[in-house]
Amino acid sequence: MHRLYLLKKVQKLLLATNNPGKFRELKEILPKKIKYFKPKDFRLREPIENGKTFKSNAKIKSLYAAKRTGLVCISDDSGLEVDALSKKPGIYSARWAGPTKNFDIAIKKVFNLLNKKKKLNSKARFICAISIAFPDGKSFEFQGKVEGYISFPARGKKGFGYDPIFIPKGEKKTFAQIGKLKKNKISHRYDAFVKIKKYFKFS
Ligand code: ITT
C-alpha cells in the first residue's frame, strides 16, 4: 500500500479520542516508540458524530483531527451490540451513558431492558472501527470484534465502559476482571489492529 512508507517513518501520532480508557488501550496496543498526542494537546473540539456505522464515525473523527493538526491521526469508534436488544446500544454506546458519561446508568439500562425480556445472558459483542487519517484527506478504516455474552451483576474494576458486564467467549471473567494483558490480546480493538498491520507497517 502506498502509505506504508509514511507509517514506517511516523514518529508522532494523534489518538483522536477523548475517552481515557480507549486512549490507554490504543497506546498499549500500538508501537511503543511513537509519541502519542491527545485532542486536548491541540485544543481540538469534538466533531459531530453523525455517521450511521462505526467505520463512518471513526472516519469523521480521524479526518477532523488530521486536517486540523497536520498529523497522522488514529480514531476509534466502538460499542457494544447486544443480540436480545437488536444490537443496541451499538453506535449509541457512549450516548446511553448520558452527558455525564456515567456507565452505571448505561449498564442499568442494559439490565432493565434485558430483564424485561428475561434474557439477562444475551449474546453480545464489542465492535471497534479504527480509522487512520492523513492530513491530505485520505483515510483507511478497519473493523474488529470480540464475541461474548452479557453477565449480571457487574463485576470487576479494571477496564472501562461496559467491561464489567461483558464476558468474552471461552472465558469466565468479565473484561473488567481479566486485566489489560489478556484484554489487549483478544479485544475488538486488538482485532482491528491486527487488520491494520496487514496493510501498514509501523516502524
Ligand atoms: P471518543 O468518541 O472521543 O473516542 P467516546 O467514548 O464517545 O469517545 P464512542 O462514541 O466510540 O467513543 O463510544 C463507544 C463507547 O462504547 C465508549 O464510551 C465505551 O463505553 C464503549 N466501549 C468501547 N470500547 C469498549 C471497551 O473496550 N470496553 C468497554 N466499553 C467499551
Side-chain angles (χ1 to χ4, degrees):
M1 191 176 268
H2 66 291
R3 299 276 151 168
L4 199 78
Y5 178 72
L6 264 176
L7 273 185
K8 266 192 157 179
K9 288 223 138 183
V10 89
Q11 291 173 335
K12 294 177 187 172
L13 266 180
L14 176 90
L15 300 182
T17 176
N18 293 301
N19 179 321
K22 280 195 204 175
F23 186 87
R24 195 187 58 240
E25 286 186 8
L26 286 169
K27 232 176 115 176
E28 285 161 2
I29 291 169
L30 289 162
K32 300 277 169 278
K33 67 184 195 188
I34 297 174
K35 180 160 172 52
Y36 295 99
F37 292 91
K38 296 184 165 84
K40 265 192 197 153
D41 298 329
F42 292 85
R43 295 176 183 228
L44 282 184
R45 290 198 202 159
E46 287 185 35
I48 297 166
E49 287 180 45
N50 52 8
K52 297 264 182 292
T53 62
F54 292 106
K55 279 188 180 176
S56 57
N57 279 332
K59 184 172 177 167
I60 289 169
K61 293 189 270 194
S62 65
L63 277 175
Y64 177 89
K67 283 186 189 158
R68 278 161 186 79
T69 61
L71 288 178
V72 180
C73 294
I74 287 188
S75 69
D76 165 322
D77 199 73
S78 43
L80 179 70
E81 289 184 349
V82 182
D83 285 359
L85 303 180
S86 316
K87 299 198 175 173
K88 284 182 196 143
I91 61 166
Y92 302 102
S93 292
R95 283 164 260 189
W96 276 31
T100 58
K101 303 192 177 168
N102 181 344
F103 278 88
D104 293 340
I105 295 175
I107 285 174
K108 186 96 183 134
K109 189 163 172 180
V110 175
F111 177 85
N112 288 339
L113 292 170
L114 287 180
N115 199 27
K116 258 190 222 156
K117 293 180 184 271
K118 304 212 179 322
K119 286 195 175 152
L120 282 174
N121 293 109
S122 171
K123 269 195 185 171
R125 71 201 55 74
F126 272 121
I127 304 280
C128 174
I130 291 184
S131 173
I132 303 182
F134 295 85
D136 66 0
K138 289 230 166 44
S139 77
F140 301 86
E141 284 72 41
F142 304 86
Q143 191 159 304
K145 66 174 179 173
V146 55
E147 297 285 343
Y149 61 95
I150 300 297
S151 170
F152 288 102
R155 282 178 292 151
K157 293 263 179 272
K158 299 166 192 161
F160 65 98
Y162 297 92
D163 280 343
I165 57 164
F166 182 81
I167 298 187
K169 205 171 161 182
E171 301 290 330
K172 292 205 162 54
K173 293 179 175 176
T174 68
F175 258 170
Q177 292 176 303
I178 64 175
K180 66 177 181 186
L181 285 182
K182 181 121 201 207
K183 184 180 174 191
N184 289 343
K185 282 190 187 134
I186 59 174
S187 76
H188 46 317
R189 203 155 278 114
Y190 181 70
D191 189 36
F193 180 63
V194 169
K195 291 180 184 165
I196 292 172
K197 281 209 290 188
K198 285 190 189 153
Y199 292 92
F200 289 111
K201 277 217 170 56
F202 289 95
S203 48

